[in-house]
Amino acid sequence: LLALLGLLAAAVAACGSPSAPSIPAGKRVITMTAVEPKGGVTVDKEPYPAGVLPQGGGYVKKAPDAAGRWEVSTYQFSPATIVVKQGERVTLEMIGINGAKHSVHVDKYRPDHVLVKRGEISRIQFTADTPGLFKIHCKEHEPGMVGQLVVLPR
């Protein structure tokens, strides 16, 4: 785990650019969206899969309609992985794009749920005081809608 965090720290440091806008030391504002990737096709191009998707979890598979078109969709965070440094004050600005609501929490840092609604911005604020990997969950669409918070050690 520490080796992975060290590699991520090196990658983040290598991505710096002198022309990039500066962020105040110790503060991060990160925008995450709640989105619904969706795909569909007609049965003449691709047969409808026989398998069943788990109920809940944000997975939806619609059977072929009268024209033979079927669809599959899920919910996810974008980006799904957030990388911050230990000691930073973090604000996650969660924007609801798809789905009427998402009850979101961040393991360790936000045990209660924050409601993210379509067309609105909800903020989750915390100080990243402990290095490690932490899940970002959506109560309504888990296990499909899960992200990761990576807190790099100082």
Side-chain angles (χ1 to χ4, degrees), residues 6-29:
L7 286 173
L8 284 170
V12 169
C15 291
S17 165
S19 62
S22 63
I23 298 171
K27 293 187 179 183
R28 295 287 305 274
V29 177

Side-chain angles (χ1 to χ4, degrees), residues 44-117:
D44 62 324
K45 294 188 174 105
E46 187 176 329
Y48 181 71
V52 176
L53 292 176
Q55 292 296 315
Y59 305 119
V60 178
K61 185 169 71 170
K62 293 184 181 177
D65 61 17
R69 181 173 174 78
W70 61 273
E71 294 181 343
V72 63
S73 64
T74 190
Y75 288 97
Q76 67 184 34
F77 294 113
S78 179
T81 301
I82 302 300
V83 180
V84 300
K85 295 178 186 173
Q86 182 180 7
E88 285 185 311
R89 178 77 179 143
V90 178
T91 300
L92 297 180
E93 290 192 342
M94 310 285 291
I95 301 170
I97 305 295
N98 299 105
K101 74 172 186 165
H102 304 277
S103 301
V104 178
H105 75 275
V106 180
D107 283 359
K108 162 122 178 61
Y109 293 106
R110 188 66 190 240
D112 58 326
H113 290 88
V114 173
L115 185 61
V116 177
K117 296 170 80 175

